[in-house]
């Protein structure tokens, strides 16, 4: 494109419609001599004289007549492509599918509330929840995923994130478990029972594992599952213990989720850092009106479900 000056399209449109160098110069706020030089450049670029003297007026060549039918539409298309995106969006008429990558806990506890909220404003929107086997940012980069919900663990420096809620880890056991029969849970009594570990990769890489390793502690882990919801189902049917995010035990929309699943929570007898749950997306969608609206709906839902929350747009970090 180094040989093409798109500004010539504007000048050509003015010359073809005005059929006068003087009037075209006035229209574009140029001097007559500058417009004459531009006409000369156009003649070189097109290989056609474009405008010819006919008495005291200028007339178009046959090729210029053809261009006169094409240039206005072409100019509008170019201006539209290079103009700022129109922020106006008719939400009620929006028909779009958003692909969200999230853990099973988010889907189980907030999936129904999210689609209900979205459909009240935009009944033509469809949500597709995609599996989340890892934290690879490639689906976000390639457009296979529009929004990811979870902890920011990607090494991709360009992704954007907004904190949806501040979460912490708690222990869970079945209702009536003997662990809770004698008051506070000590670390010795806690580690005396077998544990369910949760790991998407199958490795001992959770914050609980890190806390154990830093204190040179050991626990019995006879089973590892890929999701918190699976761990809760195992706990409710056995004497196994698990560590899950507090948000997985219910929210303002489903306050009795833990009780309905036959489990109860307790504070952990060792320190495990709290963490942020974020909405994560690729920066190409920063200013997309539909995506901005959807991000706002997800944030509003989380604020309503978990009132103690903070949010801010920021680049991700590992």
């Amino acid at each position: 494109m180094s040989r093409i000056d798109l500004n010539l399209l504007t000048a050509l449109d003015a010359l073809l419609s005005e059929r006068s160098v003087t009037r075209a110069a006035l229209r574009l706020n140029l001097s007559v001599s500058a417009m004459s030089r531009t006409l000369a450049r156009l003649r070189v670029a097109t290989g056609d004289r474009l405008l010819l003297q006919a008495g005291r007026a200028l007339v178009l060549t046959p090729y210029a007549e053809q261009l006169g039918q094409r240039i206005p539409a072409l100019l509008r298309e170019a201006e539209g492509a290079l103009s700022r995106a129109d922020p106006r969006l008719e939400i009620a008429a929006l028909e779009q599918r958003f692909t969200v990558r999230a853990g099973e806990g988010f889907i189980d506890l907030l999936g129904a509330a999210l689609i209900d909220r979205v459909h009240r404003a935009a009944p033509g929107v469809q949500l597709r929840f995609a599996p989340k086997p890892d934290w690879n940012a490639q689906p976000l980069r390639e457009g296979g995923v529009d929004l990811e919900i979870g902890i920011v663990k990607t090494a991709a420096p360009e992704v954007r994130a907004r904190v949806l809620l501040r979460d912490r880890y708690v222990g869970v056991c079945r209702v009536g478990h003997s662990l809770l029969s004698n008051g506070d849970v000590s670390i010795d009594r806690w580690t005396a029972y077998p544990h369910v570990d949760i790991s998407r990769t199958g490795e001992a890489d959770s914050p609980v594992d890190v806390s154990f390793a830093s204190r040179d502690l050991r626990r019995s882990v006879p089973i590892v599952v890929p999701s918190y919801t699976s761990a809760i189902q195992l706990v409710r049917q056995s004497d196994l213990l698990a560590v899950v995010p507090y948000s997985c035990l219910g929210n303002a929309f489903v306050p009795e989720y833990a009780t309905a699943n036959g489990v109860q929570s307790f504070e952990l007898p060792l320190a495990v850092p709290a963490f942020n749950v974020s909405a994560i997306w690729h920066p190409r969608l920063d200013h997309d009106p539909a995506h901005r609206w959807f991000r706002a709906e997800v944030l509003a839902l989380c604020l309503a479900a978990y009132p103690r929350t903070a949010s801010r747009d920021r680049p991700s970090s590992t």
Side-chain angles (χ1 to χ4, degrees):
M1 297 289 288
S2 60
R3 295 183 297 107
I4 299 175
D5 182 357
L6 293 181
N7 288 313
L8 291 176
L9 287 178
T10 304
L12 180 59
D13 180 57
L15 286 164
L16 296 181
S17 59
E18 297 292 345
R19 303 191 183 198
S20 165
V21 173
T22 302
R23 289 195 299 273
L26 184 63
R27 174 169 158 180
L28 298 183
N29 197 28
L30 295 174
S31 67
V32 174
S33 60
M35 181 56 71
S36 295
R37 291 193 297 271
T38 301
L39 175 58
R41 291 178 61 197
L42 285 165
R43 285 169 170 168
V44 171
T46 62
D48 188 87
R49 297 190 65 187
L50 300 175
L51 291 100
L52 298 174
Q53 194 74 39
R56 301 181 64 178
L58 293 177
V59 296
L60 303 184
T61 66
Y63 181 61
E65 293 279 3
Q66 297 176 27
L67 289 178
Q69 299 174 20
R70 296 167 51 198
I71 292 301
L74 180 60
L75 187 60
R76 286 194 300 271
E77 183 70 19
E79 289 177 342
L82 298 178
S83 299
R84 296 183 66 88
D86 188 347
R88 293 173 297 179
L89 179 67
E90 293 292 335
I91 298 298
L94 183 63
E95 293 189 4
Q96 187 167 332
R97 183 172 76 172
F98 293 100
T99 298
V100 182
R101 187 164 67 170
E104 293 86 344
F106 182 90
I107 299 171
D108 288 356
L109 279 92
L110 289 176
L114 179 58
I115 192 60
D116 179 65
R117 181 185 182 90
V118 165
H119 270 187
R120 285 201 300 268
V125 166
Q126 181 191 47
L127 300 184
R128 174 182 175 266
F129 283 101
K132 187 176 179 179
D134 51 39
W135 291 271
N136 189 345
Q138 203 59 30
L140 289 171
R141 287 171 165 167
E142 295 175 349
V145 170
D146 298 304
L147 193 70
E148 180 167 339
I149 309 295
I151 301 173
V152 180
K153 287 189 176 182
T154 176
E158 76 273 21
V159 299
R160 299 288 184 265
R162 166 170 279 184
V163 176
L164 299 174
L165 63 113
R166 184 72 174 166
D167 212 345
R168 63 188 179 91
Y169 290 102
V170 295
V172 290
C173 63
R174 64 172 173 80
V175 173
H177 198 291
S178 57
L179 174 69
L180 303 184
S181 61
N182 296 318
D184 292 339
V185 176
S186 69
I187 197 160
D188 290 336
R189 293 182 60 235
W190 184 48
T191 55
Y193 291 92
H195 288 214
V196 183
D197 202 6
I198 298 94
S199 173
R200 295 188 185 280
T201 64
E203 302 295 330
D205 56 1
S206 71
V208 180
D209 296 312
V210 173
S211 295
F212 264 88
S214 66
R215 297 183 58 172
D216 198 26
L217 295 171
R218 294 181 178 274
R219 59 176 177 157
S220 171
V221 182
I223 185 169
V224 179
V225 296
S227 70
Y228 295 116
T229 52
S230 296
I232 289 173
Q233 295 309 311
L234 288 174
V235 163
R236 73 181 295 186
Q237 303 174 60
S238 66
D239 281 338
L240 290 164
L241 307 178
V243 177
V244 304
Y246 186 72
S247 62
C248 286
L249 299 179
N251 54 53
F253 301 110
V254 281
E256 304 300 324
Y257 186 82
T259 302
N261 280 276
V263 299
Q264 60 188 115
S265 65
F266 57 89
E267 296 300 323
L268 297 175
L270 82 166
V272 180
F275 58 95
N276 291 330
V277 176
S278 300
I280 308 161
W281 68 94
H282 194 273
R284 75 178 188 286
L285 297 172
D286 269 347
H287 303 294
D288 178 76
H291 198 272
R292 286 172 64 90
W293 167 78
F294 182 60
R295 295 198 308 263
E297 291 298 300
V298 172
L299 174 61
L301 177 76
C302 290
L303 286 171
Y306 306 101
R308 291 184 302 172
T309 181
S311 66
R312 59 192 178 97
D313 282 325
R314 57 176 175 80
S316 72
S317 59
T318 56

